[in-house]
Amino acid sequence: MFFKRLRMDINAAKENDPAARSKFEIWLTYAGVAALSHHRLANRLYKMKLRLLARIVSQISRALTGIEIHPAAKIAPGVFIDHGMGVVIGETAEVGAGTVIYQGCTLGGTGKQKGKRHPTIGEHCVISAGAKILGDITVGDYAKVGAGAVVLRNVPPHATVVGVPGRIVRIRGSKDGVDLYQEKDDPLLSEVCSLRERVFALEEKLSALAQENKDGDKNAAQTDSRDERKDI
């Protein structure tokens, strides 16, 4: 079973990474494949109630690969973690087969609540570099999460999500039926627009005050000049 899953992980890396030259090279050098192998050992120990030993294995793996996977996380065979440095996968996270995860991604929680508090990622998803998927949410099969996106809500299958917070911009590659004006409910964007308008208003006031001061200085200079001529 272990070697069957290892072969599936290696095949996933070969399929998704055009830089991979051979399966032997992947087995020897790919940190993502090594981290998944370590995780399967840690997960087996965790299920055997040897939880301290499982955590030790996961921390050694983290030191070696830069990828931190909680021993209790459920990761299907055939997942590919590309590069992988900085990837964090939480305790109750689940990742489906065929999913590709790039460096810097976090499958994390949003608080200290108990129970299921990490995301469930479907099959054949793409989680791009730096994406953060937080909370007990579901990302549907074949969904794509853009680089740097912060996803806090469920994502339907075949959807593409980008931005902070994450917004759906395409479903099955099409914009039809997608509310592309979701930013109207984005409080951060609204606040930025409000601040921009205030800056413009303040700049206009400053320009008006500067012009008044300039006109006042000019009038004062003219008055002084007339007074000097009268004295002469």
Side-chain angles (χ1 to χ4, degrees), residues 204-214:
E204 290 179 358
K205 289 182 179 180
L206 286 174
S207 298
L209 288 173
Q211 186 63 39
E212 288 180 4
N213 290 335
K214 184 177 180 180

Side-chain angles (χ1 to χ4, degrees), residues 82-83 100-106 126-132 145-149:
D82 194 6
H83 300 292
V100 179
I101 301 175
Y102 290 91
Q103 68 273 14
C105 294
T106 299
V126 176
I127 314 299
S128 301
K132 313 299 178 186
V145 178

Side-chain angles (χ1 to χ4, degrees), residues 22-86:
S22 71
K23 294 181 179 180
F24 187 66
E25 178 188 37
I26 293 170
W27 178 60
L28 286 179
T29 64
Y30 275 49
V33 173
L36 290 172
S37 297
H38 301 157
H39 170 68
R40 303 199 196 290
L41 173 59
N43 184 254
R44 176 62 62 86
L45 294 171
Y46 193 89
K47 291 178 179 178
M48 295 169 60
K49 307 299 181 182
L50 300 174
R51 296 184 177 179
L52 176 58
L53 186 56
R55 289 306 299 268
I56 291 173
V57 171
S58 71
Q59 291 304 300
I60 292 174
S61 177
R62 176 194 179 196
L64 293 174
T65 65
I67 300 169
E68 182 171 355
I69 307 175
H70 193 283
K74 298 178 181 178
I75 302 179
V79 170
F80 177 42
I81 302 177
D82 194 6
H83 300 292
M85 182 63 68

Side-chain angles (χ1 to χ4, degrees), residues 1 7 29 35 68 74 78 111 114 133 156 159 161 163 176-177 188 215 219 228 231:
M1 181 64 73
R7 284 196 298 269
T29 64
E68 182 171 355
K74 298 178 181 178
K114 301 294 183 180
I133 304 177
V161 179
D176 295 340
L188 180 60
D215 293 342
N219 292 334
E228 287 178 358
D231 292 340

Side-chain angles (χ1 to χ4, degrees), residues 96-97 99 119-127 133 137-145 151 153-161 168:
T99 290
T120 298
I121 310 299
E123 297 183 351
H124 302 285
C125 297
V126 176
I127 314 299
I133 304 177
I137 61 176
T138 299
V139 176
D141 296 344
Y142 295 93
K144 297 179 180 179
V145 178
V151 182
R153 297 181 179 179
N154 291 335
V155 177
H158 299 275
T160 300
V161 179
I168 299 170

